[in-house]
Amino acid sequence: MSASGIPVRWRFFSVIFILSFLSYLLRQHFPVAGEFMMQELVISELQMGWIYGAFFWGYLVFQIPGGILGKRFGPRLTLLVAGTIWILTCLLFALLPGRLETSIAGTVALLIAIRVAMGAAHAPIYPVQAASVERWFPVGQWALPNAVSSTGLSLGAALAAPIFTVVILQWGWRASFLVFVPIGFLFFSVWWWYARNSPREHPSMGADELATIEANRTNLTQDVGYGAWRQLLGHRETLLLALAYFTHNFVFYSFATWFFHYLVNVLGFSIIESGMLAAAPWLLGAVAATVGGWVCDTLCGRLGPNLGCRIPAMTGLVGTGLFLYLGLYSPSPYVAVALLSLCYAFTQFAEGSFWSAQIHLAGPYSAPACGLMNTGGSVSGIIVGPLMPFLALKIGWVAALSTGTLVAFLGAVLWLFIRVDRPFQPRSCEDAAAL
């Protein structure tokens, strides 16, 4: 315990919480800016869908490499490099579109390229965070910190629409990107100063807290060498988690990408009112994420990791599908917002269970394993960006978004086959080479 009375692990994690908050403040301000960018740059809904989806190409491709780099070089350096790229892409978004290239096709191509780079910069954040949770928190207490990070991202997303609607109306959409340049420099300076790769390296870590963190680890996955991460590509439970996380994020990214647009263009709210209402799902999700993480850790302590992770994950996915359907087909716009907010809250209730399950399974290989799991989730982001406006042109926005109900129910079924009590058992590089 530190002199302040707050465990050092939670003080360290508070910095990661702020990173998660800023990450989604940036990511979720983009759909708000996108409404204004489409008008100024003469971009169609379908073209903007490709621009939205481009983020996930970079995010997808660098999930596993980001996790590998996190294990190889540690969280401290990995996130500093990612942060530098993040700041640069914000600057490029503010300065280049419509100025460097004035044709519509050229502008769209430029925006796609910058979005890919921005996605690559964000890719290591959550795999590296999960590895930090595995290193810094006691065995069986991994769902709550991951869920608290989801609370951070939900709060960042909640504030993005109301804050940046005002910023953009006053100073334009380019200013909304410039804001993140000094904020990014300040945060990553603090990160480099305070963060450490392991609790043993932190100067404030006490012997009692370190003993608590390092207890009960003998039965977990053992670290047999850096190169053993490749064996995760054939690990059944990790692959099933990646598939289940795809179904979870299919609905999550439908909200993240198209909810603001849905409020304005389908439910008929004004830009200002939509900015306020768009915060509702994220605020409710912020609470649900922490509750879900606490429930998962509590159930893991009482029932073991298999049921402890499965029960809240399945509950969250079933609730997601149910409230999505009810919200989309509600005749009242305000009731629809309330029900859709509950839908998002259930995605966040399940969130901590996915990351806790993967950490239980992978142990010291959590960074690449969570990168693999989050690759599955990122594929859904690539699909949802262009798929929803395409389907909306054919069958309407309500029917298009309601496909998420079936996908969420499929995810709940997949959890029946995931065995968190069967951890990854890697062979050493020498043993693997001999086979």
Side-chain angles (χ1 to χ4, degrees):
M1 185 76 71
S2 67
S4 67
I6 301 173
V8 176
R9 61 184 181 273
W10 280 108
R11 290 164 56 193
F12 164 77
F13 196 77
S14 68
V15 184
I16 294 182
F17 175 90
I18 295 171
L19 173 59
S20 189
F21 172 86
L22 291 175
S23 172
Y24 268 77
L25 190 69
L26 172 59
R27 286 169 65 165
Q28 287 314 116
H29 112 280
F30 195 89
V32 181
E35 294 294 316
F36 296 86
M37 294 168 71
M38 282 191 283
Q39 297 173 28
E40 180 182 323
L41 302 175
V42 198
I43 297 172
S44 70
E45 282 186 350
L46 191 57
Q47 288 169 327
M48 185 54 75
W50 285 107
I51 294 167
Y52 288 154
F55 175 94
F56 297 101
W57 285 106
Y59 197 66
L60 168 71
V61 170
F62 283 90
Q63 280 297 314
I64 296 176
I68 295 168
L69 291 173
K71 179 165 178 58
R72 176 68 179 83
F73 297 105
R76 191 169 180 240
L77 179 60
T78 302
L79 292 184
L80 179 68
V81 173
T84 302
I85 299 172
W86 168 358
I87 293 167
L88 178 61
T89 58
C90 289
L91 191 61
L92 294 177
F93 257 119
L95 299 180
L96 297 186
R99 294 173 177 171
L100 179 69
E101 176 56 64
T102 57
S103 70
I104 294 175
T107 298
V108 170
L110 177 63
L111 288 170
I112 286 174
I114 301 173
R115 282 282 284 176
V116 169
M118 183 175 282
H122 283 251
I125 292 175
Y126 293 104
V128 170
Q129 170 197 287
S132 297
V133 169
E134 189 273 335
R135 295 179 186 186
W136 279 79
F137 284 80
V139 173
Q141 297 180 27
W142 295 321
L144 182 58
N146 277 294
V148 169
S149 172
S150 294
T151 295
L153 73 83
S154 293
L155 290 175
L159 292 176
I163 289 176
F164 287 102
T165 297
V166 175
V167 170
I168 293 169
L169 287 173
Q170 289 292 322
W171 296 287
W173 62 265
R174 296 178 193 274
S176 68
F177 287 98
L178 285 174
V179 166
F180 287 99
V181 176
I183 291 175
F185 274 120
L186 176 61
F187 172 79
F188 286 104
S189 297
V190 172
W191 167 259
W192 184 253
W193 166 71
Y194 192 75
R196 296 294 185 273
N197 290 328
S198 72
R200 280 188 171 273
E201 297 174 9
H202 202 284
S204 299
M205 179 60 63
D208 291 343
E209 184 179 358
L210 185 62
T212 299
I213 292 170
E214 295 183 344
N216 304 316
R217 291 180 177 261
T218 54
N219 294 326
L220 301 180
T221 299
Q222 299 302 301
D223 193 337
V224 297
Y226 161 73
W229 70 265
R230 297 178 181 85
Q231 298 169 45
L232 286 165
L233 299 175
H235 185 235
R236 175 184 178 274
E237 315 309 323
T238 294
L239 295 177
L240 282 174
L241 270 174
L243 186 57
Y245 204 49
F246 169 90
T247 68
H248 173 277
N249 277 12
F250 189 91
V251 178
F252 174 84
Y253 284 127
S254 295
F255 272 89
T257 306
W258 291 111
F259 187 62
F260 188 85
H261 185 83
Y262 184 78
L263 291 174
V264 175
N265 294 281
V266 180
L267 296 183
F269 293 109
S270 69
I271 290 286
I272 291 292
E273 194 173 13
S274 295
M276 300 300 113
L277 292 174
W282 303 99
L283 290 173
L284 199 56
V287 176
T290 296
V291 172
W294 176 82
V295 168
C296 181
D297 278 346
T298 300
L299 291 177
C300 284
R302 295 179 180 177
L303 304 176
N306 197 43
L307 290 177
C309 293
R310 181 183 294 169
I311 291 172
M314 292 184 67
T315 301
L317 286 164
V318 170
T320 294
L322 176 63
F323 283 106
L324 177 63
Y325 184 86
L326 293 175
L328 290 172
Y329 288 93
S330 171
S332 166
Y334 288 101
V335 173
V337 171
L339 292 170
L340 291 172
S341 297
L342 285 171
C343 165
Y344 176 75
F346 271 94
T347 70
Q348 293 307 284
F349 182 85
E351 182 76 24
S353 299
F354 280 91
W355 296 90
S356 178
Q358 191 62 84
I359 293 172
H360 272 100
L361 288 166
Y365 296 93
S366 291
C370 288
L372 179 57
M373 183 187 78
N374 212 21
T375 297
S378 302
V379 170
S380 63
I382 291 175
I383 293 173
V384 162
L387 177 64
M388 290 305 158
F390 174 78
L391 289 178
L393 289 172
K394 305 293 184 182
I395 59 177
W397 275 101
V398 170
L401 291 168
S402 66
T403 57
T405 292
L406 293 177
V407 176
F409 288 161
L410 174 62
V413 173
L414 284 171
W415 264 94
L416 294 172
F417 300 95
I418 296 170
R419 295 292 302 272
V420 185
D421 55 354
R422 294 179 179 174
F424 175 53
Q425 298 294 343
R427 302 180 301 276
S428 68
C429 294
E430 293 78 7
D431 292 342
L435 294 177

